[in-house]
Each structure stands twice: as C-alpha cells, then as structure tokens.
Amino acid sequence: QVQLIASGGGLVQAGGSLRLSCTVSGLTFNRYGMGWFRQVSGKERKFVGRITWLGNTYYSDSVKGRFTISRDNGKKMVYLQMNSLEPEDTAVYFCAAGTGSGRSVAEYEYWGQGTQVTVSS
C-alpha cells in the first residue's frame, strides 16, 4: 500500500519560513519524481515544484527563489523549504509521486493528504 504523509504545516507570519516534509512508503522511491502542489479552497490545485529521482528541481515562477525542494532517497522523504513566505502562499500543500515529468496534477499517481500552511500579514 502506497502512503505519502505530509507534515510540517502551520501558521507563520509573512517573511517567515516553514519546512514541509513528506514521508513515502510502499513504492520504489528512487524511481519516482516527487512534486509539491498547493490548493486554496474552491480553487484548482496548482504546481509548486518538483524534484526528479536524480535530484533535478523545477519550480513555479511564483515560488522560484523562495522555495527549495530536496529529497533523501535513503529515508524516502522529500522536503519543501519555504522562505520569505507571503500571505498568498496560504494553502493546503500536497506532496505527490509520479513517473512522469511534468507540472500537471494528472501526471502524479500517488498523493498525500495535504498539510495546511497559513501565512499571516
């Protein structure tokens, strides 16, 4: 059974930082690219960034330079370090695993349950 468990969300002031973690089990982790997405209630889920199994990273323009994705293949974990947070970053953040190489929700086969990030102004 594949499980992705996201954690680390919370309430932070604008300009602050948070690190989200995603623990993965039930799949061959180093064969999957890992993505982070976020979703505001009532709106579509949006791409934040992804990391390939080789460790190459790609980010949406809205977070580039502020967010960093990393992975630990030995621990089967992926991280999203978020710095210089803005109120517009408030959303539920999801980690996802996929064998594709894109930015669309449809390219990811497995999803975590999401963790809430709230940035106050």
Side-chain angles (χ1 to χ4, degrees), residues 2-10 20-25 34-39 45 78 91-97 109-117:
V2 177
Q3 282 192 311
L4 283 71
I5 301 175
S7 61
L20 305 185
S21 300
C22 179
T23 304
V24 180
S25 61
M34 297 297 300
W36 284 97
F37 289 75
R38 63 188 182 186
Q39 187 171 23
R45 195 167 295 186
V78 63
V92 177
Y93 283 71
F94 298 86
C95 59
E109 300 152 50
Y110 303 103
W111 291 82
Q113 84 288 3
T115 184
Q116 176 71 47
V117 171

Side-chain angles (χ1 to χ4, degrees), residues 6 16 27 34-35 40-41 45 47-48 58 61 65 70-71 77 84-85 97 102 114-115 120-121:
L27 55 75
M34 297 297 300
V40 175
S41 181
R45 195 167 295 186
F47 174 79
V48 172
Y58 305 86
D61 288 343
S70 60
R71 65 189 293 162
M77 294 190 70
S84 302
L85 282 161
T115 184
S120 63
S121 57

